[in-house]
Amino acid sequence: MTEIPRDHPRYESLSLRETITRCVELGITSRQGLIAHGRGEAIDYLIGEKTLPTALKAEDAAVATLLTAKNPVISVNGNTAALVPEETIELAELIGAKIEINLFHRTEERIARIKDHLERLGAEDVLGLEPDEKIPGLTSERAKVSKKGIFSADAVLVPLEDGDRCESLVRMGKIVIAIDINPFSRTSRMAQISIIDNVIRAMPNMIACAKVLTENAVPKKDLLAMIEAFDNRENLNETIKEIKRGLNEGRLEESTGYSKLSIW
Ligand code: PTJ
């Protein structure tokens, strides 16, 4: 690993690259995951590497949805396991969700390594190693799912997804919440709740929201009202407008890096 100097202006971004590269070496992240990460970095630059107010709205609606779901599941791939393993475990505990590993570039070995990685960090009952169901109409390896996990879930959180599975899950009648920094991706267009944010900021934001909602024992009817008040299409359009405004007004220069929980 390259030692990144702490005072480097791009310290956080470069450290994340080191983390994800190391996870490729450990057999957790796919090599293709590096390409996806680079694509994410580029779009995050345009967003200003900060959580947009519209993303925060989507994150709140997502947490309310997961808290009211009967069988919520967080789907984990190689990039999520590298970038936000602890946050995934903490969020799953807070919202009472199962964790299921589901890979596009699926190998048994990589699933076992991700499972081991998550379990070392405290996760229990991680699903995905022994799929016993298939998502109908999906030909990729991502179709292989667990009956008590993604297959029977009513709400699924899918960080860094490919559009095909997202579409199939929606067709199965599930509520799909996507975390994808790209507002133009098929996933962002297909999901019922599209969080246009970097997963490394989205997860801590969602954890903070889940803590507030659970510690204050917010009643179910108020959670349902939060969900009802959220309009994904409108929020996506507003996100694109915000990105355009940010670029026009030169707010890119304000970018300070990956400071978690910061908003414009
Ligand atoms: O581990 P596997 O085998 O399941 O593979 C995972 C990847 C991510 C390689 C696979 O799902 C894939 O190829 O995904 P795509 O089609 O490249 O889509 C990933 C999406 O996530 C793209 O729209 C990226 O812009 C976006 N993205 C990348 N990094 C981040 C991100 N979104 C949020 N946070 C990020 N850090």
Side-chain angles (χ1 to χ4, degrees):
M1 270 175 91
T2 310
E3 190 68 35
I4 310 294
R6 274 252 162 214
D7 60 354
H8 193 291
R10 301 289 304 161
Y11 174 79
E12 284 186 72
S13 170
L14 294 177
S15 300
L16 280 179
R17 281 191 184 176
E18 290 303 312
T19 304
I20 203 152
T21 307
R22 180 83 189 114
C23 283
V24 173
E25 287 162 5
L26 292 172
I28 290 170
T29 308
S30 65
R31 286 174 299 159
Q32 294 85 342
L34 295 176
I35 299 170
H37 184 77
R39 192 148 64 127
E41 275 186 346
I43 301 167
D44 208 9
Y45 244 98
L46 300 180
I47 285 177
E49 295 174 326
K50 290 181 181 175
T51 296
L52 299 172
T54 46
L56 212 50
K57 263 195 206 174
E59 284 156 5
D60 289 352
V63 174
T65 302
L66 292 164
L67 282 171
T68 51
K70 286 195 180 72
N71 186 19
V73 176
I74 303 180
S75 181
V76 170
N77 63 17
N79 289 52
T80 309
L83 298 176
V84 283
E86 279 127 332
E87 291 85 347
T88 301
I89 297 165
E90 188 176 357
L91 183 65
E93 273 170 17
L94 281 165
I95 59 174
K98 296 185 180 108
I99 295 177
E100 179 163 344
I101 303 161
N102 180 274
L103 305 181
F104 186 76
H105 308 283
R106 182 189 167 94
T107 65
E108 300 294 309
E109 195 189 337
R110 199 149 67 85
I111 294 187
R113 282 183 196 257
I114 295 174
K115 188 174 188 300
D116 187 50
H117 178 55
L118 294 174
E119 284 174 353
R120 274 171 205 255
L121 294 170
E124 284 168 16
D125 300 325
V126 177
L127 303 169
L129 197 52
E130 288 164 354
D132 48 3
E133 271 295 353
K134 280 200 152 195
I135 299 174
L138 188 63
T139 47
S140 76
E141 287 290 293
R142 270 201 188 273
K144 295 177 180 168
V145 289
S146 146
K147 192 172 191 163
K148 63 176 181 177
I150 290 173
F151 190 78
S152 60
D154 49 352
V156 192
L157 175 64
V158 292
L160 279 81
E161 178 72 358
D162 60 286
D164 268 16
R165 185 179 66 143
C166 179
E167 193 171 352
S168 303
L169 292 174
V170 171
R171 232 184 292 121
M172 284 176 86
K174 302 179 191 306
I175 299 170
V176 181
I177 301 161
I179 303 176
D180 189 333
I181 194 79
N182 184 358
F184 305 105
S185 72
R186 255 167 58 74
T187 303
S188 296
R189 301 270 141 198
M190 293 308 306
Q192 282 101 332
I193 299 182
S194 314
I195 298 173
I196 311 302
D197 202 358
N198 195 315
V199 72
I200 66 134
R201 294 187 302 267
M203 284 294 202
N205 288 347
M206 290 173 77
I207 288 169
C209 175
K211 281 186 181 161
V212 170
L213 295 178
T214 52
E215 283 165 13
N216 291 293
V218 173
K220 189 170 176 184
K221 69 168 180 35
D222 292 350
L223 296 176
L224 293 173
M226 276 173 72
I227 301 165
E228 186 65 29
F230 179 77
D231 181 332
N232 199 47
R233 182 59 44 192
E234 195 184 293
N235 204 57
L236 259 182
N237 289 337
E238 190 47 42
T239 302
I240 293 164
K241 281 191 205 150
E242 276 186 48
I243 296 170
K244 279 194 205 158
R245 272 199 297 273
L247 293 172
N248 287 341
E249 292 166 17
R251 274 186 283 182
L252 247 183
E253 286 158 25
E254 292 172 19
S255 170
T256 51
Y258 286 100
S259 47
K260 287 176 183 172
L261 293 174
S262 62
I263 56 166
W264 275 356

